[in-house]
């Protein structure tokens, strides 16, 4: 007798440079979301095979971010990232201390957004962090590529959050791998 037909089909997989780069199953990123990107959401997305992201500045202090990262680790052993939103403000948050909390916690994927990741790139590169930079225009994406980010995503005019106004739709690209 032939085996009975399976009652469930295996989940389809779309393998891309992005899934290979981050070690995830599906090329889906849950972008950082202020007040929403906490351990439970990020872990659920990562458990489902995407890339879950905690939002650093949702945590009032770098020490609390470190605790949130630990909480996420208890909920998933799959890759997840931390969003560092860099917005111009009169009293900036202590970005250096937040990024130190990220690397000290062993996180190796960071989504930057808000303005140029340039001031943070050297530090992240030294600590083996892959940076996904999120921006809203091609010129900023080209600059991020020059700075050595691992991937770029563009929040175009149809996106939620702070969409772009450059008549560019949402998309992502990968800089060529370093030639060494
Ligand atoms: C409620 C909410 C809060 C967000 N907060 C942030 C944030 O703090 N930092 C950030 O980089 N992006 C933030 N975003 C943008 C998202 O990460 C994402 O880039 C955007 O929603 C585009 O994806 P979508 O079209 O799938 O919604 C936020 C989006 C939403 C809806």
């Amino acid at each position: 007798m032939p085996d009975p037909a399976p009652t469930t089909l295996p989940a389809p997989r779309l393998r891309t440079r992005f899934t290979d780069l981050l070690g995830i199953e599906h090329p889906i990123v849950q972008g950082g979301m202020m007040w929403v990107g906490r351990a439970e959401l990020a872990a659920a997305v990562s458990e489902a095979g995407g890339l879950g992201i905690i939002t650093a500045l949702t945590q009032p202090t770098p020490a609390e971010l470190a605790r949130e990262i630990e909480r996420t680790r208890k909920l998933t052993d799959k890759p997840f990232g931390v969003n560092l939103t860099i917005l111009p403000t009169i009293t900036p948050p202590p970005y250096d201390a937040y990024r130190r909390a990220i690397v000290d916690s062993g996180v190796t994927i960071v989504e930057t957004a808000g303005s140029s990741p340039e001031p943070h790139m050297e530090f992240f590169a030294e600590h083996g962090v892959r940076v996904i930079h999120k921006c809203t225009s091609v010129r900023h994406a080209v600059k991020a590529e020059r700075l050595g980010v691992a991937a770029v995503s563009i929040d175009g005019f149809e996106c939620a959050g702070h969409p772009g106004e450059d008549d560019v739709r949402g998309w992502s690209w990968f800089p060529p791998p370093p030639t060494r």
Side-chain angles (χ1 to χ4, degrees):
M1 270 250 315
D3 285 344
T7 49
T8 52
L9 293 170
R13 277 200 61 178
L14 186 59
R15 186 174 169 192
T16 67
R17 275 182 65 194
F18 193 71
T19 58
D20 287 352
L21 175 77
L22 303 174
I24 57 177
E25 280 172 70
H26 309 297
I28 294 175
V29 179
Q30 167 246 311
M33 282 182 279
M34 194 65 182
W35 310 125
V36 181
R38 297 175 192 270
E40 288 78 6
L41 176 65
V45 172
S46 292
E47 277 294 293
L51 181 72
I53 294 191
I54 304 173
T55 312
L57 300 183
T58 294
Q59 302 304 321
T61 64
E64 281 161 285
L65 173 61
R67 280 200 287 279
E68 195 68 2
I69 292 169
E70 274 321 296
R71 253 172 29 82
T72 311
R73 284 238 165 75
K74 290 200 173 98
L75 298 171
T76 184
D77 57 6
K78 298 201 171 158
F80 64 90
V82 174
N83 168 286
L84 193 63
T85 300
I86 315 148
L87 288 173
T89 53
I90 293 173
T91 319
Y95 286 116
D96 295 6
Y98 275 99
R99 68 182 198 203
R100 168 57 66 191
I102 292 169
V103 302
D104 285 354
S105 301
V107 170
T108 59
I109 305 169
V110 166
E111 179 191 59
T112 52
S115 62
S116 172
E118 188 162 11
H120 307 284
M121 286 305 292
E122 196 180 328
F123 180 83
F124 284 139
E126 269 169 19
H127 292 87
V129 171
R130 287 150 295 171
V131 174
I132 305 165
H133 183 61
K134 185 169 64 187
C135 54
T136 61
S137 67
V138 171
R139 66 188 187 286
H140 292 157
V142 169
K143 179 167 180 197
E145 177 177 1
R146 250 196 345 261
L147 294 173
V149 302
V152 174
S153 69
I154 293 192
D155 269 17
F157 55 77
E158 82 280 35
C159 292
H162 294 276
E165 294 173 5
D166 274 21
D167 234 8
V168 180
R169 61 164 298 247
W171 54 311
S172 57
W173 85 50
F174 305 96
T179 46
R180 258 187 246 136

